[in-house]
Amino acid sequence: MYLNNLDMKELQEIITQNGFPKFRSEQIFRWIHKNLEDNFTQMHNLPKDLLDYLKNKHTIDKMTIYKRFNSTEDETKKYLFRLNDGNIIESVYLKYHFGESACISSQVGCAMGCSFCASTKNGKLRDLRASEMLGQVYEIQKDLGISINSIVVMGSGEPFDNYENLKKFIEIITSPEGKNLSIRKITVSTCGLIPSIYRAADENIGFHLAISLHAANQTKREKLIPVAKKYPITDLVKSCRYYTEKTGRRVTYEYVMIHHVNDSLQDAEELVSLLRNSICLVNLIPLNHVTEFEGTQSTSQSIAMFYNYLKKNKINVTIRRELGKDINAACGQLRNQSMENQ
Ligand code: SF4
């Protein structure tokens, strides 16, 4: 069993059921999730019989850095990690004025089929375990000698298509005996799986919710995000209002700006009427070029027009700063390139 894939309660059960005192599970948890130790023999405050038991019966789910790409323009670093089974996943380290951030993947590939996204090119291979989501954060910390203080689950994969593992990942990374990250520092981004939005609202886990919206009407959204056929845009916005009511948290709508696709004045007008009276933020993202998608980035004039129109109509709006442009890679691109080169 992978010990780093267990939350505190599960670890306690295993340790006490095997005749060791409960406090030992807290020590083990601390070694793994606070000290980032992945070698049992280094856990020097554990007695020999417990160490023998751990070595014989358990293991740690490890990943290794396969490649790291360093931006020469800023401090962004993109990582490819190799998992136990040989699969490769992608994560990004971003340095902001407010601290150190990691963008992590939740699945190997993705089943959602968004037209502008490289991650979905070969479909979904499998879900990531909680330990593999944690591993991305821990390996970046160890590699750079820093402490990550915000996480966005916005890399490859649809996190709500891997809900249980996502929930366990959050439970572990916010645990006081471990990294103790504030839930307010975690953002989960979904392409709009409405039942999971209601579930997350009712469970009141409290993470920041981001929606990949990318269009202001149903017809356009269906073309960009196939899952929109199942989950209509007006129902999606309704579910986000519910999320805000239940959690008190403002929802962010991500809007990738694509030249002559979703960046006209009419698009801006439709977006304003869709989001009127919502407590939200719209994040405009200049499109990253993806070989598989013929769309191009909106001009800076269109982005400015869109931004100003939203602002004028009292919608909170930002334009995402493009970090790591020289190691150009919308999520999934580096992984695809590297798989092709293998
Ligand atoms: S944008 Fe997100 S949900 Fe859509 S295919 Fe890419 S990884 Fe999946």
Side-chain angles (χ1 to χ4, degrees):
M1 187 179 290
Y2 291 129
L3 272 197
N4 53 339
N5 195 39
L6 303 179
D7 62 29
M8 194 63 199
K9 201 160 152 261
E10 290 169 328
L11 188 61
Q12 276 169 358
E13 266 169 34
I14 281 175
I15 294 302
T16 52
Q17 275 164 13
N18 283 279
F20 299 101
K22 192 173 148 201
F23 78 94
R24 294 294 184 197
S25 48
E26 279 149 33
Q27 287 179 310
I28 298 167
F29 195 91
R30 225 172 278 133
W31 274 116
I32 296 173
H33 299 289
K34 206 177 196 102
N35 303 337
L36 311 188
E37 185 55 67
D38 56 14
N39 182 350
F40 293 136
T41 51
Q42 297 299 316
M43 301 181 180
H44 52 72
N45 57 356
L46 303 183
K48 185 170 178 315
D49 56 347
L50 177 54
L51 283 176
D52 288 343
Y53 160 74
L54 295 178
K55 280 188 244 166
N56 291 331
K57 297 281 178 201
H58 302 287
T59 177
I60 302 269
D61 197 4
K62 293 185 193 177
M63 62 177 67
T64 50
I65 298 174
Y66 173 60
K67 270 184 193 161
R68 190 181 89 181
F69 302 82
N70 301 327
S71 170
T72 51
E73 293 177 0
D74 53 56
E75 290 174 76
T76 305
K77 297 182 192 340
K78 304 208 175 191
Y79 288 86
L80 292 178
F81 291 111
R82 190 191 285 284
L83 306 176
N84 269 331
D85 61 1
N87 271 312
I88 304 276
I89 53 165
E90 197 173 318
S91 323
V92 185
Y93 161 79
L94 301 134
K95 174 122 178 133
Y96 291 105
H97 64 275
F98 53 81
E100 327 270 355
S101 182
C103 174
I104 64 164
S105 295
S106 57
Q107 296 176 318
V108 183
C110 183
M112 297 297 133
C114 302
S115 60
F116 51 86
C117 175
S119 296
T120 197
K121 194 182 151 204
N122 300 312
K124 178 177 97 170
L125 290 162
R126 70 170 175 86
D127 291 330
L128 293 185
R129 293 181 284 276
S131 49
E132 292 169 322
M133 290 187 241
L134 292 160
Q136 297 170 63
V137 179
Y138 296 172
E139 290 306 319
I140 292 174
Q141 293 195 150
K142 285 196 272 188
D143 184 48
L144 301 179
I146 47 117
S147 179
I148 292 290
N149 46 31
S150 70
I151 294 172
V152 286
V153 190
M154 205 183 272
S156 297
E158 163 53 58
F160 283 167
D161 185 37
N162 187 16
Y163 194 97
E164 293 303 332
N165 287 328
L166 171 77
K167 201 172 151 186
K168 186 188 266 195
F169 157 73
I170 292 173
E171 162 73 29
I172 296 174
I173 205 142
T174 55
S175 172
E177 297 86 359
K179 181 162 169 60
N180 198 17
L181 187 73
S182 161
I183 188 66
R184 304 196 75 77
K185 298 288 186 179
I186 299 176
T187 300
V188 175
S189 173
T190 175
C191 65
L193 305 193
I194 293 176
S196 300
I197 296 173
Y198 281 109
R199 180 176 169 190
D202 289 335
E203 290 178 350
N204 204 352
I205 303 171
F207 51 75
H208 179 78
L209 179 67
I211 305 291
S212 296
L213 191 68
H214 309 323
N217 69 49
Q218 182 63 16
T219 318
K220 280 195 185 182
R221 193 159 190 272
E222 280 182 16
K223 282 195 190 133
L224 295 170
I225 302 175
V227 81
K229 292 186 188 109
K230 196 167 171 194
Y231 301 118
I233 194 165
T234 44
D235 293 349
L236 176 60
V237 171
K238 203 168 139 204
S239 70
C240 292
R241 290 208 175 102
Y242 183 79
Y243 189 85
T244 299
E245 269 165 41
K246 281 281 187 173
T247 63
R249 302 217 63 182
R250 175 174 83 164
V251 171
T252 297
Y253 291 98
E254 308 285 351
Y255 196 99
V256 171
M257 300 224 55
I258 312 168
H259 185 52
H260 285 171
V261 171
N262 62 359
D263 62 351
S264 68
L265 179 60
Q266 195 190 333
D267 292 303
E269 286 166 355
E270 283 183 286
L271 191 56
V272 166
S273 59
L274 182 73
L275 299 181
R276 185 162 281 131
N277 302 325
S278 286
I279 302 169
C280 67
L281 171 77
V282 174
N283 192 16
L284 302 176
I285 308 164
L287 176 76
N288 253 320
H289 177 67
V290 178
T291 356
E292 303 81 13
F293 180 59
E294 67 223 15
T296 53
Q297 190 175 105
S298 298
T299 61
S300 46
Q301 289 89 333
S302 311
I303 297 174
M305 177 280 295
F306 211 91
Y307 173 87
N308 289 330
Y309 185 84
L310 264 56
K311 216 168 170 55
K312 201 174 87 195
N313 285 280
K314 310 268 181 297
I315 303 277
N316 293 310
V317 56
T318 55
I319 300 172
R320 186 187 287 175
R321 200 155 57 96
E322 291 178 90
L323 291 174
K325 251 163 67 181
D326 59 321
I327 41 173
N328 180 26
C331 67
Q333 279 184 286
L334 285 175
R335 173 177 168 269
N336 289 352
Q337 283 158 16
S338 130
M339 302 299 269
E340 279 156 17
N341 294 339
Q342 270 186 339

